[in-house]
């Protein structure tokens, strides 16, 4: 077992900062050596705050440092393919935020480079490391609800990210629903065979020039015979609403809740509870768990449980959803698991 994994975080925005903080303060067996962001002041600030030795505005300095074992890529999705290629060619193990890339051909190319350079890659599908989704998976595996027949996914954001983010996000199917596409195949233990998707702008008219929508739904079929519907919304002005349900032949598992704290307030005017405000609060532990898993795997020279192929499959489902939405037609997927074409 390797005692310490020397790592670097690339991109210090919303996600990159939490990954850096977790690595610097909580993750056993990780030494955060470097942080990188083109906004030099941001890189310096994070390095100061977290007591990291080195900061740079140029990720190439990280790739060229032979003492770095692993990188965490939390840069905008449009840069992922280039970052993965560079990291792999410099023999750095990779944790990359979702989606793996924006483009299927790019995904195939990065997978080839990862294989050629014999490194490990984990994709940031943190729901697999959330205690509720993990318990649901364990219960399904244990047969508690019989054969899984149907997945219902609800992912609602309390508003939209800014136009600048939407412009480069790849759209709601890639940016948001991809989490549910991944978790549905994980929970149902089956691969998607078809998808029909719809969407509309209900509130955020600024999205129109970017051909994005703020309310979307997809209906999916799976090779086991199971099916799913997956809703994504940027219009949950009441809070961050992430829920799921798996219905089986002998019962159902409901996943997630709107409650931030597990309390109910009863007064003369009625009964209330608080609501999860945003994704950091909902998935704080999952972000830590996924990075701990990554570091543990690297220390033990083991492949992470959610890898580049999972990233490619979820991307293929998301791109098919986008195509279905754009054409108004159902899109068939053929054996997405094994194909590298
Ligand atoms: N897993 C999740 O729940 C989740 C949630 C939000 C975002 N994400 C993903 O995380 C990634 C980043 O999203 P974000 O919301 O943190 O974005 P962000 O815009 O907040 O941060 C991105 C950061 O990367 C920096 N950057 C840009 N180009 C760079 C480069 N070439 N090298 C190094 N740094 C660079 C930017 O200056 C910025 O600080 C995206 O792929 C997004 O899809 C995942």
């Amino acid at each position: 077992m390797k005692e310490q994994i020397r790592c670097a975080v690339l991109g210090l925005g919303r996600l990159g900062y939490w990954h850096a903080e977790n690595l610097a303060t909580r993750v056993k067996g990780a030494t955060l050596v470097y942080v990188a962001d083109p906004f030099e002041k941001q890189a310096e600030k994070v390095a100061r705050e977290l007591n990291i030795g080195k900061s740079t505005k140029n990720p190439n300095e990280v790739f060229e440092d032979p003492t770095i074992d692993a990188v965490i890529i939390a840069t905008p999705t449009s840069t992922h393919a280039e970052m993965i290629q560079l990291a792999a060619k410099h023999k750095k193990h990779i944790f990359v935020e979702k989606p793996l890339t924006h483009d299927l051909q790019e995904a195939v190319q990065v997978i080839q480079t990862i294989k050629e350079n014999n490194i490990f890659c984990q994709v940031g599908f943190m729901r697999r490391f959330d205690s509720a989704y993990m318990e649901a998976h364990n219960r399904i595996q244990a047969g508690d609800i019989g054969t899984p027949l149907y997945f219902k996914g609800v992912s609602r954001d309390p508003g939209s990210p800014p136009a600048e983010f939407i412009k480069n996000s790849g759209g709601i199917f890639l940016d948001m629903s991809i989490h549910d596409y991944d978790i549905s195949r994980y929970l149902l233990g089956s691969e998607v065979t078809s998808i029909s998707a719809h969407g509309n702008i209900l509130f955020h008219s600024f999205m129109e020039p970017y051909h994005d929508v703020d309310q979307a739904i997809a209906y999916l079929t799976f090779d086991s015979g199971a099916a799913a519907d997956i809703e994504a919304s940027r219009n949950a002005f009441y809070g961050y609403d992430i829920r799921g349900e798996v219905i089986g032949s002998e019962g159902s598992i409901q996943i997630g809740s709107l409650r931030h704290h597990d309390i109910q307030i009863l007064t003369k005017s009625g009964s209330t509870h608080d609501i999860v405000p945003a994704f950091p609060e909902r998935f704080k532990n999952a972000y830590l768990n996924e990075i701990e898993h990554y570091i543990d795997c690297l220390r033990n020279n083991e492949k992470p449980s959610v890898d580049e192929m999972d990233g490619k499959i979820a991307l293929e489902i998301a791109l098919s959803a986008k195509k279905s939405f754009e054409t108004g037609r159902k899109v068939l997927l053929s054996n997405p698991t094994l194909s590298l074409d």
Side-chain angles (χ1 to χ4, degrees), residues 81 84-85 88 94 100-101 103-119 121 123 303 307-316 336-341:
I84 297 170
Q85 289 284 358
I94 296 165
L100 181 66
T101 63
D103 176 272
L104 210 50
Q105 199 47 43
E106 274 181 357
V108 170
Q109 285 161 1
V110 301
I111 289 173
Q112 272 163 355
T113 312
I114 287 167
K115 282 196 193 327
E116 279 162 22
N117 287 283
N118 204 21
I119 49 146
C121 174
V123 178
K303 197 172 169 53
D307 63 9
E308 65 276 10
M309 283 308 289
D310 295 298
K312 184 208 166 225
I313 294 166
L315 175 69
E316 197 164 354
T337 322
L338 304 172
S339 158
L340 259 187
D341 299 332

Side-chain angles (χ1 to χ4, degrees), residues 86-107:
L86 283 166
K89 284 177 185 159
H90 287 86
K91 310 273 183 208
K92 314 292 183 206
H93 297 295
I94 296 165
F95 176 98
V96 59
E97 265 306 332
K98 51 49 68 174
L100 181 66
T101 63
H102 265 165
D103 176 272
L104 210 50
Q105 199 47 43
E106 274 181 357

Side-chain angles (χ1 to χ4, degrees), residues 10-16 36-39 42 59 74-77 79-80 83 97-99 124 126 165 175 179 279 287:
L10 310 175
L12 299 166
R14 295 183 301 177
L15 259 284
D37 196 291
F39 287 108
Q42 172 68 356
T75 55
T77 306
T79 68
H80 287 184
M83 294 285 154
E97 265 306 332
K98 51 49 68 174
M126 78 296 180
F165 182 90
D175 184 52
H179 283 296
F279 66 88
Y287 293 127

Side-chain angles (χ1 to χ4, degrees), residues 4 10-11 29 37 85 87 92 138 142-143 180 230 248 254 273 328:
Q4 287 293 313
L10 310 175
D37 196 291
Q85 289 284 358
K92 314 292 183 206
N138 292 342
D180 277 304
I230 288 173
Q254 296 180 344
H273 63 79

Side-chain angles (χ1 to χ4, degrees), residues 179-194:
H179 283 296
D180 277 304
Y181 301 147
D182 176 67
I183 208 75
S184 64
R185 51 182 288 273
Y186 182 60
L187 292 174
L188 295 173
S190 181
E191 295 300 343
V192 174
T193 50
S194 77

